[in-house]
Amino acid sequence: MATDNSEITHDFPGFFKVYKDGRVDRYWNTDFVEAGVDTETGVQSKDAVISPETNVRARIFLPKINGPAKKLPLLVHYHGGGFCIGSPFAPAFKTFLSALATQANVIAVSIDYRLAPEHKLPTAYDDSLAGLQWIATHSDGKGPEPWINEHADLGRVILAGESAGATLAHYVAVQAGAAGMCGVAIKRLLIVHPYFGAREPDKFYQYMCPASSGTDDDPKLNPAADPDLLKLKCDAVLVCVAEKDKLKGRGVTYYEAMKKCGWGGTVDFHETKGEDHCFHFFNPRSENIGPLLKKMVDFIQLD
């Protein structure tokens, strides 16, 4: 017979379960791959500490530079995983961001954040914004990370993310505009298979964020309900969805809201037929990855 401490009080299949004694058991743990040179692309990567107090870090991806050195657009990436799994140090993100950095000729910084449920939301939102603020400290060329000082053009910044990471990227873009953040100029916002809210309460999100209704009246889950939406700081948004993704409707709703709200930039939409949520990570042999990657590359190229 199970003891009281081994009793499961909350179970969210595919993500985590919580026991009566407070222990959290994830359904899968993220593999870690060391930084270094990607043999496929020649991209170099290294890790940096954003905040010693929170131990939030980032992984930086520098494409192979041919010819005279010049500063490159900077892609700021937020990983997906339902706010509770994943990290920039996973093999899948090394492969993806190395390819993106090479094909788009950008330097990429993937920002880590503390995970729910151990760190209740909005911690992930706060860490994500802190990551961009850390990047902005390099605007005078004297920031703590030499690769950003030497290679990143902070006047050409792209924010990007998939799933929960797309939600975070949107939030950071709005907050940067609302606060009048100096030191970075956000030009593009790449939203891939976003995780937003609906009318029915999202019990999973509510557990991670007890202060939230878990519905579309929460501005973090429904940008259309955000009074600061018109302060969004970027020139263009690309929204990508997948036909078989159960979150597709939320991505479509987001796209329509961005078209109607009058924030002043352009909005584009891309749907991948026959695929599911974040298929470019979960189905690495899909023939649809190439067209999706090309759409992303074309969008974020700022040269």
Side-chain angles (χ1 to χ4, degrees), residues 128 166 268:
S128 297
D268 195 8

Side-chain angles (χ1 to χ4, degrees), residues 90 143 163 181-182 202:
S163 193
M181 185 185 296
C182 298
D202 184 333

Side-chain angles (χ1 to χ4, degrees), residues 216-238:
D216 58 8
D217 66 0
D218 182 340
K220 289 186 175 66
L221 286 176
N222 178 19
D226 187 351
D228 287 330
L229 180 60
L230 296 183
K231 299 174 183 177
L232 178 72
K233 187 174 183 179
C234 76
D235 298 333
V237 177
L238 171 62

